[in-house]
Amino acid sequence: MGVGTSLRRLGLGYPEILLSMACFLFLFLRHGRRGSRLPTKWPVLGMIPGFVSQSTWCFHDWTTEVLRESGCTFFFKGPWCSGMDILGTSDPANIRYIFNANFANYPKGGQFLEIFDILGDGIFNADSDSWKTQRKVANSRMPRFWRFVARVSREKVEKVLIPLLARAAEHAAVVDLQDVFLRFTFDTTCNLVFGVDPGCLSPDLPSVPFANALDDAEEVLFFRQAVPMGWWKLLRWLQVGEEKKMVLASETICNFITGRISERMDEVAKVRQDKEVPMRLEVQLDAGRKRHLSTRQVDPVVFGADDLSSAIYLEAALFESLRLFPPVPFEHNGAARPDVLPSGHKVDPKAKIVIPLYVMARVEGIWGKDCCDDWKLKHEPLYKFLSFNSGPRICLGKDMAFTQLKVVAANLLHKFHITVVKGHVEVPSLSIILHMKHGLRVNVEKRV
Ligand code: HEM
């Protein structure tokens, strides 16, 4: 008598039997090795079944457990011939080695270029001489950008952000602070790059197709890293599923950028023709911005960038937030030649190297037992605090981003009492940029 017959005698039909088997398989894959989170390596399929069975659990939490259990470095074997072998490491010694000591052997690599094709051959994708040239040019522009961002951030906080939150406070309306900050960043970035303020933060909070397209593209870029290369390329060729989303997102992004460039060229041509106004960037930026300024009475900001240069506790709080919630949650490199990391793990040029920043912040071996709730002030090396990257490719906009963060945080906290709505659940999104899946719903009260 077969097992199936016995089970059916117990009153179980085929659907119930199949469901029980699926549950058993799921639990075995998830907790197979006596509660271990390490995925089992199967012939042909590699570790993909273990990875897929975790998809219901928070991906970031799972990765944290896997790296904790494996001593900070884990080799994920992808399905046979899938090009999905990944060496994940959160070991600071390895990170220092990859980003500094042996930087030349760890370029972004060909796979990165293919996955992030939407970035073209710009600085984020470039390696060797092209990267060196672009970095030099971008670096030389940073002081000017910094001054511009400091001024625009102050104006935007005063004339748009504070009035917007004041209105929400008056009407006791719940605000999605994540959405508001994304709009703020989007307006100031467009202003910096294109010389036009798209007015995403205007009182009616309009729908912003370009910003939505960016979110979609970021999710697809995450998806491409989580599946075999052949799979997403097939979807791209068929133009279906996630890759269809990428096609639509790319179209929206391209249309927006070409639109802004042609507007800008028309403005420049007009200025040249008139020869009345000197062709200075600042003049045109002002023109673009004034169209969107609120006419309400202005409640002046109290803190500008210069006032906040010595606000070290504010800076420490922001650093701590960026440590625990790094906006770029993964770094991704390749190896030019075979190598051995300080942890003893071999590196094969065919494998991807992934550094999960979100995970690093939660590893007690790196940050101590209070890694999830430490608010003490101390200096740490950048190969431990990787939120702005480390080594020769460190973020060029770090100081600029910090200036903006400080101006916004100091002025809003001075004027408003902000509390997260009771019961709001914060879940990280699965994207190459860390967002909260359900936004950040807050109540705002004016301080008296
Ligand atoms: C909180 C805000 C920011 C964070 C967390 C951040 C983080 C990062 C990270 C992690 C990288 C390395 C990415 C990679 O793997 O290639 C990077 C690179 C870079 N960032 Fe930022 N960034 C921020 C804001 C900015 C701003 C405002 C600018 C300039 C306007 C900027 C300009 C750059 C540039 C040019 C690079 C490329 C550097 C290179 O590859 O040599 N960033 N940033």
Side-chain angles (χ1 to χ4, degrees):
M1 188 170 50
V3 180
T5 321
S6 316
L7 289 171
R8 271 184 283 121
R9 281 202 172 168
L10 288 172
L12 298 177
Y14 282 115
E16 286 92 344
I17 296 171
L18 282 174
L19 187 66
S20 325
M21 283 166 71
C23 289
F24 169 76
L25 199 63
F26 176 80
L27 289 171
F28 175 75
L29 290 171
R30 199 162 152 176
H31 303 288
R33 292 194 216 151
R34 276 180 285 162
S36 167
R37 293 285 178 199
L38 301 183
T40 308
K41 187 167 129 195
W42 298 86
V44 186
L45 293 176
M47 294 178 179
I48 206 82
F51 171 70
V52 173
S53 71
Q54 298 298 334
S55 58
T56 48
W57 208 48
C58 174
F59 174 77
H60 291 289
D61 292 343
W62 177 66
T63 335
T64 308
E65 290 301 322
V66 168
L67 283 167
R68 263 190 201 148
E69 218 179 306
S70 59
C72 285
T73 304
F74 183 74
F75 184 72
F76 179 89
K77 181 79 193 140
W80 184 64
C81 276
S82 66
M84 233 189 121
D85 292 352
I86 298 172
L87 185 82
T89 185
S90 57
D91 182 336
N94 288 346
I95 289 163
R96 188 178 190 184
Y97 183 76
I98 292 167
F99 287 97
N100 295 274
N102 205 4
F103 172 74
N105 193 43
Y106 294 95
K108 295 279 173 126
Q111 265 206 41
F112 186 95
L113 215 70
E114 287 196 76
I115 291 176
F116 288 81
D117 55 357
I118 194 168
L119 299 177
D121 47 12
I123 188 167
F124 290 98
N125 266 2
D127 278 317
S128 3
D129 288 347
S130 162
W131 167 71
K132 277 186 198 151
T133 315
Q134 294 194 52
R135 177 135 186 134
K136 216 167 155 187
V137 173
N139 205 9
S140 67
R141 303 216 168 126
M142 284 302 151
R144 188 165 164 227
F145 283 178
W146 184 90
R147 283 192 298 280
F148 179 82
V149 167
R151 179 166 61 81
V152 170
S153 302
R154 187 189 170 114
E155 282 181 19
K156 196 97 186 161
V157 168
E158 184 167 282
K159 293 173 182 153
V160 187
L161 202 50
I162 292 176
L164 190 130
L165 291 193
R167 265 192 309 275
E170 264 168 43
H171 296 101
V174 170
V175 178
D176 178 355
L177 211 52
Q178 172 170 266
D179 180 55
V180 167
F181 286 160
L182 283 174
R183 287 166 185 273
F184 177 90
T185 315
F186 191 65
D187 280 357
T188 42
T189 307
C190 284
N191 212 333
L192 177 73
V193 178
F194 304 116
V196 183
D197 182 333
C200 302
L201 209 53
S202 47
D204 51 336
L205 297 179
S207 152
V208 189
F210 177 63
N212 297 339
L214 280 180
D215 284 348
D216 284 349
E218 286 160 10
E219 279 172 21
V220 179
L221 291 176
F222 179 88
F223 167 80
R224 283 183 180 180
Q225 301 197 60
V227 296
M229 190 169 253
W231 178 242
W232 68 258
K233 283 191 173 171
L234 177 69
L235 295 186
R236 185 173 66 177
W237 185 68
L238 295 170
Q239 300 220 340
V240 293
E242 289 296 289
E243 291 298 325
K244 172 83 187 166
K245 200 159 103 179
M246 186 57 123
V247 172
L248 298 175
S250 303
E251 267 172 29
T252 311
I253 293 169
C254 281
N255 289 343
F256 179 84
I257 294 175
T258 36
R260 297 296 81 72
I261 291 174
S262 60
E263 266 175 37
R264 187 91 179 87
M265 284 168 79
D266 289 349
E267 281 174 30
V268 171
K270 194 169 177 303
V271 171
R272 272 204 187 128
Q273 233 175 17
D274 296 351
K275 288 221 165 113
E276 284 167 357
V277 191
M279 241 184 56
R280 290 196 44 228
L281 183 67
E282 277 78 7
V283 175
Q284 288 162 38
L285 295 178
D286 279 343
R289 202 167 43 250
K290 273 178 195 129
R291 270 187 271 144
H292 300 287
L293 296 184
S294 164
T295 48
R296 282 169 67 101
Q297 208 188 353
V298 165
D299 182 4
V301 297
V302 178
F303 308 107
D306 294 334
D307 310 314
L308 295 165
S309 53
S310 57
I312 54 162
Y313 286 99
L314 175 62
E315 202 162 288
L318 292 172
F319 267 125
E320 183 62 352
S321 308
L322 287 167
R323 182 183 75 85
L324 282 167
F325 302 99
V328 180
F330 304 96
E331 279 295 330
H332 175 168
N333 289 69
R337 285 172 302 283
D339 197 6
V340 179
L341 295 178
S343 61
H345 290 82
K346 286 192 180 137
V347 175
D348 180 338
K350 286 196 216 101
K352 274 192 281 191
I353 300 172
V354 173
I355 292 119
L357 279 65
Y358 184 93
V359 172
M360 274 185 82
R362 287 155 180 81
V363 176
E364 291 172 10
I366 305 176
W367 295 104
K369 283 207 184 321
D370 49 359
C371 57
C372 294
D373 52 22
D374 186 2
W375 286 93
K376 274 173 269 157
L377 206 58
K378 50 188 174 194
H379 286 277
E380 295 287 356
L382 283 172
Y383 56 83
K384 278 175 78 180
F385 174 80
L386 213 63
S387 297
F388 289 101
N389 215 357
S390 167
R393 285 196 94 130
I394 191 164
C395 171
L396 280 172
K398 177 171 167 275
D399 294 340
M400 197 187 310
F402 244 87
T403 301
Q404 196 171 49
L405 282 169
K406 284 202 284 191
V407 169
V408 172
N411 285 293
L412 293 195
L413 290 174
H414 180 75
K415 291 196 187 295
F416 301 100
H417 181 65
I418 299 171
T419 43
V420 176
V421 167
K422 239 185 175 169
H424 176 77
V425 184
E426 289 148 35
V427 188
S429 63
L430 286 186
S431 170
I432 56 153
I433 301 293
L434 191 68
H435 294 298
M436 282 167 271
K437 203 169 171 184
H438 310 298
L440 182 63
R441 290 161 53 78
V442 297
N443 295 117
V444 185
E445 281 170 62
K446 258 196 127 177
R447 288 191 196 273
V448 277

